Amino acid sequence: EAQVTQNPRYLITVTGKKLTVTCSQNMNHEYMSWYRQDPGLGLRQIYYSMNVEVTDKGDVPEGYKVSRKEKRNFPLILESPSPNQTSLYFCASSFTLRGNEQFFGPGTRLTVL
Amino acid sequence: AQKITQTQPGMFVQEKEAVTLDCTYDTSDPSYGLFWYKQPSSGEMIFLIYQGSYDQQNATEGRYSLNFQKARKSANLVISASQLGDSAMYFCAMREGLRRGGSNYKLTFGKGTLLTVNP
């Protein structure tokens, strides 16, 4: 089944404790992206990747890191989480040369205390 | 200025009736795509329908249709014969630069419309 998976789905952590949210897709998509969703603000892009080893900042990159060492994986790293990073996070992927749909993962609900 | 505007924070509709969810957009790029996503209370983002700026006909997918008025920069979602399961948050989104190589495939989202279908 074609899908984007994220882990963990739910996470409660404390300020300053490094964490990684994993994202994996099995559709051989070149493009992958991370969004965060906050009430009243919709979804905003954090980082994106056009292909392996090619990443760039989105609209709200502060406090986040990413890497793209393999085509299927695009982990989101919070080196020192803070309470303002409490949010619902989505990973998405798509082809770059064909098709228009961006496939979304199920979301990761993160709470930073 | 907001790139995607959804002016209806909440909408109510009776089961089996049609409902229109409004979306206006702002771009100077001639090549763009417009998307609608559904987000039920469980949280996942479900793709509904897509309209390209150069598409001649309005997109349709089952009970969903997109009323695309390019000159007015609007892309309203029409849901026919509403069902209880249609109760959810609906997001309009845009991707610019469809024909620019190497561009970010970022989707810019509106703030959403919460649709409630009453029995």
Side-chain angles (χ1 to χ4, degrees):
Chain A
E1 179 190 355
Q3 60 183 347
V4 180
T5 57
Q6 293 179 228
N7 282 291
R9 295 288 314 279
Y10 303 90
L11 180 61
I12 300 174
T13 189
V14 295
T15 299
K17 186 176 180 182
K18 181 179 178 180
L19 66 92
T20 299
V21 184
T22 64
C23 172
S24 183
Q25 50 91 7
N26 62 1
M27 295 167 279
N28 202 34
H29 287 163
E30 299 91 0
Y31 178 82
M32 298 185 75
S33 178
W34 277 102
Y35 297 86
R36 61 177 288 174
Q37 182 181 14
D38 301 291
L41 296 178
L43 282 79
R44 295 175 293 167
Q45 190 186 52
I46 304 170
Y47 266 95
Y48 68 96
S49 170
M50 297 297 288
N51 214 323
V52 176
E53 302 291 3
V54 182
T55 64
D56 207 347
K57 296 177 181 178
D59 296 322
V60 288
E62 295 77 21
Y64 304 95
K65 285 174 59 177
V66 294
S67 69
R68 188 92 181 271
K69 292 183 170 54
E70 305 166 282
K71 198 172 186 179
R72 63 185 294 126
N73 296 324
F74 190 45
L76 179 70
I77 303 155
L78 285 73
E79 293 271 1
S80 182
S82 62
N84 64 12
Q85 292 178 298
T86 293
S87 187
L88 178 59
Y89 291 86
F90 287 100
C91 180
S93 71
S94 71
F95 290 114
T96 55
L97 295 179
R98 55 187 170 97
N100 296 295
E101 180 182 349
Q102 282 203 13
F103 293 80
F104 280 78
T108 294
R109 194 169 290 278
L110 173 66
T111 301
V112 183
L113 301 174
Chain B
Q2 286 188 44
K3 291 212 170 194
I4 296 287
T5 301
Q6 295 181 253
T7 57
Q8 306 152 315
M11 287 280 287
F12 293 89
V13 65
Q14 285 299 122
E15 195 177 6
K16 299 180 186 175
E17 292 185 351
V19 62
T20 297
L21 306 184
D22 294 342
C23 173
T24 57
Y25 59 92
D26 182 28
T27 182
S28 57
D29 198 319
S31 178
Y32 54 89
L34 296 157
F35 302 75
W36 277 92
Y37 284 85
K38 172 184 178 182
Q39 186 177 42
S41 58
S42 51
E44 70 267 30
M45 295 290 286
I46 302 168
F47 168 76
L48 295 178
I49 197 166
Y50 167 81
Q51 179 86 42
S53 59
Y54 292 108
D55 293 344
Q56 295 296 314
Q57 292 187 316
N58 286 348
T60 60
E61 289 286 349
R63 293 187 299 113
Y64 305 108
S65 61
L66 200 152
N67 183 1
F68 182 46
Q69 298 189 44
K70 195 170 182 177
R72 299 176 65 177
K73 293 189 175 179
S74 75
N76 298 338
L77 176 70
V78 180
I79 306 174
S80 63
S82 298
Q83 302 171 355
L84 296 178
D86 293 334
S87 293
M89 183 72 85
Y90 288 81
F91 290 97
C92 179
M94 175 174 64
R95 210 210 106 192
E96 297 170 281
L98 285 184
R99 295 185 179 182
R100 270 204 307 276
S103 63
N104 184 359
Y105 281 61
K106 176 180 78 172
L107 293 175
T108 301
F109 284 82
K111 296 184 178 180
T113 295
L114 181 61
L115 176 66
T116 302
V117 180
N118 294 317

